[in-house]
Amino acid sequence: MSFLNPVRHINFDARDPYRLAEFWAAVTGYALDPTEKGDPEVLLDPQQPGAPGILFCQVPEEKSGKNRVHLDIQPPTGTRDEEVARLLELGARIEDDRRTSEGMGWVVMSDPEGNEFCVERSAVERGLV
């Protein structure tokens, strides 16, 4: 017998769940669930059936070490480089620049609490739209 176990949430440990959720809401366009700034859990709702939410859960310790799982961001419009510039303004940092002189590659960034993610070429740059 075969069955599907859809992913309901992608969870992030966070020192400040609300602050991190605000950052990721700006990155993804997901809706910030109504919550209080001091709540220990904050949910971002993708508002798309079947898509997983992103849940930020408060933990007492700082992040240590490299993520074992990370998100890859593909901008739907514009360019990868424009998205990298926008994310830097939101508080992200560049950890590793894997862009090539031919315009290929990606940028490894981290969010305000140090969680790594990658920014790939946009859908436009890939010819997908």
Side-chain angles (χ1 to χ4, degrees):
M1 182 171 155
S2 175
F3 59 94
L4 180 64
N5 286 319
V7 175
R8 181 169 178 225
H9 296 131
I10 299 168
N11 290 20
F12 280 76
D13 287 351
R15 293 294 305 262
D16 186 343
Y18 192 86
R19 177 174 163 255
L20 204 53
E22 285 182 313
F23 171 84
W24 281 101
V27 171
T28 63
Y30 285 19
L32 184 59
D33 208 37
T35 187
E36 296 294 323
K37 285 191 178 190
D39 283 355
E41 294 182 357
V42 179
L43 178 66
L44 292 183
D45 183 352
Q47 299 182 332
Q48 296 178 4
I54 304 176
L55 183 62
F56 300 87
C57 300
Q58 190 171 39
V59 297
E61 64 273 1
E62 296 284 337
K63 178 186 178 286
S64 64
K66 183 180 179 303
N67 294 7
R68 296 293 299 259
V69 175
H70 71 268
L71 303 180
D72 286 345
I73 305 298
Q74 179 183 334
T77 61
T79 68
R80 171 201 55 219
D81 296 346
E82 291 168 343
E83 184 65 6
V84 167
R86 183 180 83 86
L87 297 174
L88 287 169
E89 288 179 14
L90 291 173
R93 293 179 304 279
I94 293 177
E95 299 295 334
D96 191 13
D97 194 333
R98 301 285 181 100
R99 292 177 278 195
T100 69
S101 59
E102 298 83 29
M104 305 298 278
W106 63 94
V107 179
V108 179
M109 301 187 82
S110 60
D111 69 18
E113 290 200 11
N115 300 296
E116 297 91 1
F117 62 97
C118 293
V119 180
E120 300 178 345
R121 292 182 307 138
S122 72
V124 172
E125 291 171 299
R126 291 173 182 262
L128 301 174
V129 290

